[in-house]
Structures are given as structure tokens and as C-alpha cells.
Amino acid sequence: MGGQSGCISTLWTGKKRQSGRHFVPNLTIGAPVVSSLREHTEAVLDCHLMVTNPEDYVGPLKDAGADIFTFHYEATEHAEKLCREIKDAGMKVGIALKPATEPDEALHALIDAGLVDMMLVLTVEPGFGGRKFQSAVMPKVAALRKKYPQLDVEVDGGVGPATIDEAARAGANVIVAGTAIFNAPDPSKVISHLRTSVENAA
Ligand SMILES: O=C(CO)[C@@H](O)[C@H](O)COP(=O)(O)O
């Protein structure tokens, strides 16, 4: 979505990494799957880590070929150090916020310092696909877009044809969608719909 910033509108079918360690109740994929995917695609591998100690995964995901390492702001006491480690490893930094987490002064300082490439605003409680989009989170998206026109702002959770316009109007330029795409009779049609909505909101 160009929006105020001219950001390139894109729709990444990012790889979700919901490895356990108690941040979310379910285990899904890990670095070995990312590494296998890397061998077959040039696509952006945007790895959203829903893990308790994200610091432990910088090396494994770097070695696996991840492009974006997105960790949960709630899952570490050392966000600045982790941002620097991710960048030193040659990956982009994403910071994810659960619906109830608002950006605080420390997070704004990280973004202002240029340590954050993307903010992931979850519109569902993390862990499982197919949950209902929480419109109440949109003001957080809009505030981030207003304050940081150049920043990639990603929305994830319950995004589909019925909710994409709301997310795009709020300022999201990176969209994560699972159920809406994988359950669709024609997934490519849904992807085009999502991409068009983001581009039109620019
Ligand atoms: O994994 C999460 C959040 O933890 C899900 O939000 C998926 O990333 C997308 O799922 P859908 O809501 O699009 O089915």
C-alpha cells in the first residue's frame, strides 16, 4: 500500500513459525521447514515467532534463510539487544504485538532508532488460524501508520475479503491471511482481492 509513504504494496505469504515453548499452546513449524522452503522459493520468508525465548532462534533462522525475523514484544525483556542481533544476522526485524499490547515509549524508541523494519499488529490472539478479526485493533494500526509513514505495518488474524478493506484503510501494507486463502475455492482470486484492496487504500 502506498499510503502516505509510497511503500510498495505487497502481500507476503509469509511462513508462520509457531514453535511452542509456551508462548502459544500449539507447535507448528521450525527452522528445518524454513530451510526446506528456502531451497524452493525466492519468496519473502517472513517468520513470525510465537516463542518464549526468541533470542534462541536468531542463529537457526539465519542459517535456514529467513528474510524477516518477527518476534513478540511481550516475549522478551531485551528487545533492543534482540533487534541488533537480528540485524547483525542479516535479517529484517519485525516486532509483533498481541491485540491487548499497545506500543510503549521503549518500542517507539526502537522504531525511531531504525531498529525495526516492520510492526506486526495481531488482530487475533496468537496461536491458531481461523479466529475472528478484532476491529478494535485498527486504531493501533492507524496510529503506527500516521507516526511512521515509511514503516511496514503488517496485519495478521482473520483477514479476508470481508475484513481487508478495514485493515487497508487503517494503513496495513503487509497482509497475512491463512483461512481466507487456503479454504477458498480459488485462492488466487482471494489473494488478488486482498492485494487490490491494499493498493486502492494507498
Ligand atoms: O497464526 C496466526 C496467529 O497466531 C493466524 O492469524 C494465522 O497467521 C493467520 O490465520 P487466519 O486468521 O488468516 O486463518
Side-chain angles (χ1 to χ4, degrees), residues 16 18 50 122 124 126-131 156-159 176-179:
K16 304 286 311 164
Q18 299 176 10
M50 287 172 264
L122 277 180
V124 296
F128 295 92
R131 288 179 166 168
D156 171 0
V159 181
V176 175
T179 303

Side-chain angles (χ1 to χ4, degrees), residues 11 161 178-194:
L11 183 65
T179 303
I181 291 173
F182 294 116
N183 287 7
D186 182 350
S188 61
K189 196 170 162 197
V190 172
I191 290 172
S192 300
H193 181 145
L194 301 181

Side-chain angles (χ1 to χ4, degrees), residues 17-18 34 47 54 73 84 128 134-135 143 150 165 172 175 197:
R17 189 179 190 291
Q18 299 176 10
V34 175
C47 297
Y73 192 54
R84 294 187 189 282
F128 295 92
Q134 295 181 29
S135 298
Q150 299 300 335
D165 290 342
I175 303 297
S197 174

